[in-house]
Structures are given as C-alpha cells and as structure tokens.
Amino acid sequence: MSERNLVLLGPPGAGKGTQAERLVDDFDLPYYATGNILREAVEQETELGRKAKEYMEAGELVPDDLISEVIAERLDSGEADDGFLLDGFPRTIGQAEMLEKALDGRGRSLTAALLIDAPDVEVVRRLSGRRTCVKNNHVYHTDFDPPKNEGVCDQDGSRLVQRDDDKPETVRKRLQVYHDQTEPLIQWYEDRGLLRRFDGTREPEEVNSHIRATLATLALEAEI
Ligand code: AMP
C-alpha cells in the first residue's frame, strides 16, 4: 500500500486534535502534534522546553529551526516509514519548505494537507471551554463534549485541565499569529495540488467521514 504522509492544517480549536485521534485509530499512523511535544518538553524542563517556554506562554510561534529539528528526528526514527500524521506543523512557509525538502531528501512526498477550517468566533467559543487530560491530551469541552465525571478523563482517568494558552488573551494572540503566519500555507499547498478542505463547524463524525472518503480517493488515485 502507498504511504500516507499527512499534515493537518487549520486554526487552533478547529478540531484537528479530535480528528487526529480518529485518524490514528482508523489508519494506525504515528501522530506528531508539535504543540503536545513542546508542552511535554516544557513540563519535563528539557533544553527544547526551556527554549520554547516563553514563546508558547505569549502565544507566539517558537523559531522554525527549533521545531524543524523535532520533526526531522521523528522522520528518521523509523516508525514513520509507512506514513505519519502531523498536527500543528508546518505552521509557516519556512517550515513547509523544510518539510518538503526533508521528505524529498528521503525519496518521499506529502500525500495531502488536510485543512479543517472554522471561523474565529467559533474557535474562541470552543477554546474557552476546552479541557485536556494531563496524561494523554484527550480533548473534552465543558458544554459540547463533557466527560462523564467532571474534571476526569473518561479514557484514562487522569485529571482534566485548561491549557494556559487557552485563556482568552492568549487565544486572541494565537488566532492573530494563525492568520498572519499559517494561513498563507493554504495557498502554498493549493498551488501544489495537495490541499483538501473540510468544514470544521460540522459534527466531528461527519468531518471524519469526509476525511476518510478523501483519503480513500487519494489511495485509489495513487494506485492508478
Ligand atoms: P498547539 O497545541 O498546536 O496550539 O501549539 C501550542 C503552541 O506551541 C503554539 O502556540 C506555539 O507556541 C507552539 N508551537 C506548536 N507547533 C509549532 C510550530 N510548528 N512552530 C512553531 N511553534 C509551534
């Protein structure tokens, strides 16, 4: 079977993480969410974490070279040889160029960039109620997708918390950074024929079926 080398694009809170959880189950892909990787590094006070912390707290992007290194390491780990799902990377044209070059150098290429889009008002509404579990980053929402027991993850029993950068001022900053630095990637991937769009305001189940249908078509096309 052909490789599935995928990136998820879209504003914070559009549902990338939720869709990723399903895609990982559906297709058994290694999942690299740079935000999760960086938060873990900050918590464990590694060198990467120390360098990334200030940028993250301000809702700004960490420098391209820092994050590109993290991705290159994963590509060379062996576990991503049949495919991968990237979430939160690339976030700038520079990072997209780095990824293109890194894959090219390994005789590989991207299968698709999956854009899950949602308007700013929806994003703010969702992020303000978002809670994630401390153990595995499972995602809930206080109003739309509450856990069975308040403050406790249904899947692994760990504590649910609000991410520091989901507080209102930081959310506004992250959205501005998304519009300024990440949105240009939509056209960039469109120009390369790799962009596939999905409506993130739909029910997660519906978005998931659209993505699966698109991936099935892409797999068929690759075989022709
Ligand atoms: P996320 O969980 O994807 O919203 O990421 C949280 C924060 O981690 C962002 O606001 C950035 O500070 C940092 N971050 C995550 N991915 C990247 C990336 N690809 N490039 C730069 N900074 C990133």
Side-chain angles (χ1 to χ4, degrees), residues 10-13 16 31 33-39 52-68 71 87-92 95 127 130 163 165-166 170 173-174 177 181-182:
K16 300 190 297 298
Y31 170 54
T34 45
N36 294 350
I37 293 171
L38 290 170
R39 273 186 293 281
K53 191 167 188 239
E54 259 177 57
Y55 297 100
M56 293 176 74
E57 280 173 355
E60 285 167 9
L61 296 182
V62 308
D64 281 355
D65 54 343
L66 205 62
I67 195 75
S68 294
I71 296 300
D87 174 0
F89 181 95
R91 263 228 201 13
T92 62
Q95 292 179 12
L127 292 185
R130 176 161 77 174
R163 283 169 43 173
D165 61 355
D166 280 347
T170 321
K173 175 69 186 170
R174 286 165 65 204
V177 168
Q181 301 194 55
T182 308

Side-chain angles (χ1 to χ4, degrees), residues 10-215:
K16 300 190 297 298
T18 303
Q19 291 304 322
E21 275 181 29
R22 292 163 195 239
L23 290 174
V24 166
D25 281 347
D26 293 343
F27 298 110
D28 195 25
L29 292 169
Y31 170 54
Y32 305 124
T34 45
N36 294 350
I37 293 171
L38 290 170
R39 273 186 293 281
E40 219 172 277
V42 169
E43 208 163 291
Q44 293 173 357
E45 299 182 3
T46 64
E47 199 190 332
L48 172 68
R50 275 195 295 278
K51 287 182 185 160
K53 191 167 188 239
E54 259 177 57
Y55 297 100
M56 293 176 74
E57 280 173 355
E60 285 167 9
L61 296 182
V62 308
D64 281 355
D65 54 343
L66 205 62
I67 195 75
S68 294
E69 212 174 294
V70 170
I71 296 300
E73 261 173 36
R74 301 295 191 287
L75 289 181
D76 285 332
S77 68
E79 66 174 16
D81 288 354
D82 295 330
F84 53 77
L85 180 62
L86 288 176
D87 174 0
F89 181 95
R91 263 228 201 13
T92 62
I93 300 269
Q95 292 179 12
E97 286 171 346
M98 171 272 157
L99 179 63
E100 191 178 49
K101 233 201 247 153
L103 288 173
D104 201 39
R106 291 161 178 81
R108 303 173 64 176
S109 58
L110 207 63
T111 310
L114 312 173
L115 169 66
I116 303 179
D117 216 353
D120 287 5
V121 284
E122 179 65 18
V123 162
V124 172
R125 202 157 66 102
R126 288 183 185 184
L127 292 185
S128 59
R130 176 161 77 174
R131 299 293 180 272
T132 50
C133 85
V134 290
K135 200 163 171 198
N136 290 305
N137 296 299
H138 292 128
V139 185
Y140 298 84
H141 191 283
T142 48
D143 303 327
F144 314 129
D145 181 22
K148 289 196 189 78
N149 298 306
E150 201 186 317
V152 182
C153 179
D154 292 346
Q155 298 181 65
D156 60 33
S158 73
R159 208 160 37 89
L160 299 182
V161 293
Q162 180 174 44
R163 283 169 43 173
D164 282 341
D165 61 355
D166 280 347
K167 312 245 153 89
E169 326 75 67
T170 321
V171 166
R172 274 192 290 278
K173 175 69 186 170
R174 286 165 65 204
L175 267 173
Q176 188 200 327
V177 168
Y178 173 76
H179 290 306
D180 292 348
Q181 301 194 55
T182 308
E183 223 164 36
L185 279 178
I186 297 175
Q187 190 59 47
W188 197 87
Y189 279 122
E190 186 102 86
D191 291 346
R192 283 155 182 76
L194 290 171
L195 192 78
R196 299 292 182 276
R197 289 174 188 268
F198 304 92
D199 181 353
T201 64
R202 307 238 171 195
E203 288 299 315
E205 218 31 75
E206 204 181 332
V207 180
N208 175 254
S209 342
H210 287 169
I211 295 179
R212 288 173 60 124
T214 299
L215 294 181

